[in-house]
Amino acid sequence: MHEWALAESVIKAAAEHAAEQKMKRVSEVAVVFGELQAIDKEIFPFAMKELAKKHPLMSAAKFRIIDEPAAFRCRACSEEFDLKRFRKESDEAEFIHFVPEMAHSFIKCPSCKSPDFEITAGRGVYIKHIKGSK
Amino acid sequence: MTRLDPRPSVIADRLKKVKKITAVTGWKGGIGKSVTASALALLLNEKGHKTGLLDLDLTGASCHFILGSGKAFPREDMGLIPPFVHGVKFMSISFFSKGQGVPLRGANVTDAIIEMLAVTLWGELDHLVIDMPPGIGDAALDALKFFPKARILAVTTPSPVARDVLRRSLAVYKAMKVPVAGLVENMGPKGVAYDPRLDAALGDPEKLLKTAFARRLEKVTRKFIGG
Ligand SMILES: Nc1ncnc2c1ncn2[C@@H]1O[C@H](COP(=O)(O)OP(=O)(O)OP(=O)(O)O)[C@@H](O)[C@H]1O
Ligand SMILES: [Mg+2]
Ligand SMILES: [Zn+2]
């Protein structure tokens, strides 16, 4: 499952951030899942917990998952749109899952059909905050 | 804290077991970078080196066509494991684009490159060859940032315009302290000659390796391929 590779990056980045902030123990990591990438919500948290066990700083961390809906703004005509009206074929959804930028190959602005849109929210995985004690 | 992008933190790890990285560049378009990168990867593999090929020209991916990668697709196992195409571990955006165009702005190119580098598990490689897009835009600068070990194989042609661009590119690499391992003059008398049979061999690695183009490329790059 390719989620493991991203989960590993969350653990590593959080541990590095905590070390920079001279935290002794990380208590919470808030991870945002962008709707577009459709991350597996069982595998990813499981992978984070497993991988965190190997990091002394991270082993007691709780992971808070925050879902972020996808939002787009067309650069050609300024139309704002979301994912609801797109019924992607399953292979396209899988390709966007691997590389969210593939949305530019498969999704068009509903108003002017341009592929030149901005993903304003809900692209993929990022860390919103890291809490811990010093 | 502001939002933190976790992906770059693992990129160096993903390349830990890659011994040599060669970025095939040339700032002019259409001068043979992709055929050079693809043939070089096949030649390295032929010599017994564990070799990978990364197509970093997201908006103009070409290596899948040159290699004829067909239905090959990465395997999912804790990440994405590049498939072997004629013995070469191959990664490209073309796996995910269904043969369609990939219209991306610079920031999207960077985001897609970070995503690919963070999840691609190359494993052990003697050589990773990177096919670069023309110029020194987002993808090329990202490559130099994320592959600090990379050295350049510069492709040029005998055209005075190409030479002028080459001169400027070498100055920039020098200023950025990026080593230039070699120079291939494509379609020129001193380098790799124009090969009228090359186009007919595209898509077939066996045939490609037998072309005058590949055999000459082998000679020209021998010093740096080794063996
Ligand atoms: N020495 C050669 N002899 C014959 N044909 C060649 C030779 N070198 C390149 N070509 C042909 O020129 C075309 C363009 O080559 P290629 O795609 O490798 O260029 P490129 O520099 O990668 O282009 P881009 O800038 O778009 O990435 C291809 O059809 C290729 O087969
Ligand atoms: Mg090319
Ligand atoms: Zn529009």
Side-chain angles (χ1 to χ4, degrees):
Chain A
M1 278 295 153
H2 119 283
E3 266 85 353
W4 279 81
L6 289 175
E8 190 186 343
S9 78
V10 170
I11 300 305
K12 185 143 189 253
E16 282 172 5
H17 176 85
E20 269 164 33
Q21 300 293 314
K22 303 200 163 34
M23 289 182 190
K24 294 228 162 53
R25 232 192 83 211
V26 172
S27 54
E28 182 184 277
V29 181
V31 183
V32 174
F33 284 0
E35 181 188 9
L36 184 61
Q37 191 165 25
I39 289 294
D40 189 301
K41 284 180 198 156
E42 276 172 30
I43 293 170
F44 203 103
F46 174 76
M48 286 194 294
K49 270 181 220 128
E50 286 299 305
L51 294 164
K53 288 178 190 164
K54 294 177 203 151
H55 274 272
L57 272 176
M58 299 289 297
S59 54
K62 294 252 175 312
F63 295 97
R64 186 136 75 87
I65 306 298
I66 300 163
D67 289 311
E68 188 177 282
F72 308 89
R73 187 190 305 115
C74 179
R75 283 196 167 97
C77 77
S78 304
E79 173 86 354
E80 297 194 350
F81 54 102
D82 57 32
L83 263 186
K84 281 189 206 79
R85 54 185 119 174
F86 294 99
R87 209 170 290 119
K88 283 170 279 135
E89 292 172 38
S90 65
D91 57 347
E92 293 179 2
E94 194 192 10
F95 297 154
I96 290 173
H97 169 64
F98 291 134
V99 182
E101 281 61 44
M102 301 327 291
H104 295 277
S105 295
F106 306 130
I107 294 174
K108 308 267 178 293
C109 165
S111 166
C112 77
K113 309 287 177 239
S114 172
D116 184 16
F117 52 79
E118 194 183 338
I119 306 169
T120 51
R123 176 203 173 273
V125 174
Y126 67 90
I127 298 173
K128 191 155 187 216
H129 67 240
I130 298 163
K131 288 181 186 160
S133 51
K134 298 208 173 177
Chain B
M1 69 184 271
T2 48
R3 62 148 74 184
L4 175 63
D5 181 356
R7 301 169 299 163
S9 71
V10 291
I11 292 178
D13 284 351
R14 304 286 184 242
L15 300 163
K16 221 161 40 194
K17 293 184 195 145
V18 178
K19 292 201 190 104
K20 283 185 177 164
I21 302 179
T22 307
V24 179
T25 72
W27 289 9
K28 293 290 288 173
I31 55 173
K33 295 178 293 295
S34 297
V35 282
T36 298
S38 304
L40 179 63
L42 292 171
L43 287 165
L44 287 163
N45 173 64
E46 191 185 58
K47 287 199 177 346
H49 301 292
K50 284 187 191 137
T51 306
L53 175 64
L54 171 63
D55 192 336
L56 218 54
D57 188 356
L58 303 199
T59 56
S62 304
C63 295
H64 63 292
F65 183 86
I66 294 164
L67 293 179
S69 66
K71 292 202 158 59
F73 193 80
R75 189 161 57 83
E76 256 192 283
D77 184 8
M78 314 295 272
L80 292 182
I81 302 179
F84 283 101
V85 175
H86 203 82
V88 172
K89 276 190 191 174
F90 178 52
M91 186 48 116
S92 167
I93 198 86
S94 63
F95 290 132
F96 314 119
S97 63
K98 275 178 71 173
Q100 302 194 31
V102 185
L104 297 181
R105 286 185 180 246
N108 304 133
V109 167
T110 294
D111 229 341
I113 287 175
I114 291 174
E115 194 77 32
M116 286 169 76
L117 297 184
V119 300
T120 302
L121 308 181
W122 290 102
E124 235 176 89
L125 288 180
D126 298 316
H127 287 273
L128 176 61
V129 178
I130 308 175
D131 181 26
M132 305 276 273
I136 183 99
D138 297 80
L141 291 168
D142 285 331
L144 298 179
K145 172 176 161 188
F146 290 117
F147 302 98
K149 280 194 299 191
R151 56 215 184 126
I152 299 288
L153 179 65
V155 178
T156 185
T157 71
S159 134
V161 183
R163 284 176 179 284
D164 181 55
V165 173
L166 174 75
R167 180 185 55 75
R168 275 176 277 153
S169 75
L170 295 179
V172 167
Y173 294 134
K174 192 169 177 192
M176 293 177 80
K177 297 193 173 61
V178 181
V180 176
L183 184 66
V184 172
E185 192 188 64
N186 191 23
M187 299 183 273
K190 278 176 281 163
V192 180
Y194 176 79
D195 177 358
R197 298 219 171 91
L198 178 57
D199 280 350
L202 299 178
D204 183 341
E206 291 279 354
K207 258 194 184 169
L208 193 61
L209 277 168
K210 291 199 184 98
T211 57
F213 171 84
R215 293 345 302 185
R216 182 65 189 151
L217 182 68
E218 183 193 5
K219 287 214 176 68
V220 171
T221 55
R222 177 164 291 162
K223 182 171 63 180
F224 111 120
I225 292 183

